[in-house]
Amino acid sequence: MKDVSMPVRTFQGHSGNVTAVGFQKDRKWMFTGSEDGTLKIWDMRQRSGFQRSYPSKAAINTAALHPNQGEIISGDEDGNIRVWDLTANACSYELVPDGKCAIRSITIAPDASLVMAANNRGTCFIWKLNDSSTAHSDVAFRPLHKIEAHDTYCLKALISPDVKYLATTSADKTIKIWNISKKFELEKTLVGHQRWVWDCCFSADSQYLVSASSDMSAKLWKLSTGNVLMEYKGHQKAVTCVALNDNN
């Protein structure tokens, strides 16, 4: 049996906590964001270090890869959202939606039509994106909507694979599901966690959601009913991250 207790590879180069990670669609490279204020690109075929490093000047809390694979959008502790153009090897766009209020989560629609950012006030900002379906085309944000999603920290915002729903999780112990086609009308509030809800992940068919919480559990929700189908317990501390493998 394969030993899964030891890492296959270790990537070293950040000097602070790593807060974001993602992979290019062909798994040729990955990106990481860190509290050391940098976004780094790592070639998976190389055995030594990172290949690029972009300074954000403040701790990076979140980062998302644009579907065109040519830009990464990051959000930091000082409230900045930046677009990093991987071809130009530079920051190509920057905005500050709510002063110094920290950006906690960024999500991009799989069809590249929308980008959303959630912050420490519980506010979620939504922008329409230019048609950037081709790699390395310019990304520009056009304001579309703003949701006062929660009364406290919004920890995660995620658009469903079918681009019909937005899920937000919060320090208020809830998960909220918003209907994108109905001008972001609140569809459901999922209640069941006893502490902060840090992360969530949709199933590939957008019918289910998995959540992770400081109550040391993860839950599987059926979105049509709002009911918990499964609860996963076993951790001795907060569960802060979750992923779901259901591509089949």
Side-chain angles (χ1 to χ4, degrees):
M1 182 179 292
K2 188 176 180 179
D3 183 6
V4 296
S5 64
M6 297 297 292
V8 176
R9 288 180 64 182
T10 301
F11 297 86
Q12 294 181 323
H14 284 294
S15 59
N17 292 329
V18 177
T19 54
V21 63
F23 290 87
Q24 183 260 357
K25 65 179 180 180
D26 296 324
R27 303 295 191 264
K28 291 180 180 179
W29 51 267
M30 73 173 187
F31 65 91
T32 54
S34 169
E35 289 180 353
D36 65 12
T38 66
L39 180 79
K40 297 187 188 299
I41 307 295
W42 312 75
D43 189 330
M44 302 299 292
R45 298 161 294 187
Q46 299 292 325
R47 288 286 175 181
S48 59
F50 53 88
Q51 281 64 54
R52 300 185 192 180
S53 184
Y54 302 110
S56 185
K57 302 176 185 177
I60 292 177
N61 294 327
T62 179
L65 177 63
H66 192 286
N68 67 18
Q69 308 295 294
E71 289 109 351
I72 297 171
I73 303 178
S74 67
D76 69 30
E77 191 67 22
D78 283 352
N80 302 294
I81 295 173
R82 292 186 173 92
V83 179
W84 304 94
D85 186 319
L86 302 184
T87 300
N89 205 26
C91 178
S92 62
Y93 193 81
E94 183 176 347
L95 74 160
V96 183
D98 195 11
K100 287 281 190 177
C101 188
I103 302 297
R104 190 57 50 194
S105 181
I106 286 176
T107 178
I108 307 170
D111 64 0
S113 60
L114 302 170
V115 61
M116 305 185 190
N119 71 12
N120 276 359
R121 274 192 245 276
T123 305
C124 192
F125 299 90
I126 302 102
W127 298 272
K128 284 187 70 67
L129 287 178
N130 283 348
D131 181 9
S132 306
S133 56
T134 58
H136 318 316
S137 57
D138 292 336
V139 172
F141 292 66
R142 288 179 287 152
L144 178 65
H145 205 75
K146 183 172 81 169
I147 307 169
E148 300 300 337
H150 300 270
D151 292 330
T152 183
Y153 304 109
C154 187
L155 301 171
K156 179 77 172 188
L158 186 66
I159 300 171
S160 62
D162 61 7
V163 199
K164 291 182 178 179
Y165 299 102
L166 167 69
T168 58
T169 76
S170 173
D172 66 10
K173 309 173 190 176
T174 70
I175 305 151
K176 293 185 179 181
I177 308 298
W178 309 84
N179 191 313
I180 292 175
S181 64
K182 294 182 179 179
K183 297 182 179 179
F184 298 91
E185 177 182 296
L186 180 60
E187 187 99 354
K188 281 186 177 66
T189 300
L190 307 180
V191 179
H193 281 296
Q194 302 305 307
R195 294 187 180 179
W196 292 21
V197 186
W198 286 97
D199 196 14
C200 67
C201 183
F202 282 99
S203 60
D205 62 6
S206 303
Q207 300 300 306
Y208 302 90
L209 188 83
V210 181
S211 57
S213 170
S214 291
D215 64 12
M216 300 182 290
S217 77
K219 296 182 188 294
L220 172 66
W221 307 80
K222 186 174 183 179
L223 295 180
S224 61
T225 63
N227 293 334
V228 175
L229 298 181
M230 297 267 307
E231 186 170 23
Y232 306 92
K233 293 184 176 180
H235 287 287
Q236 302 304 309
K237 291 189 177 182
V239 183
T240 58
C241 185
V242 65
L244 181 62
N245 180 12
D246 69 338
N247 291 329
N248 295 325

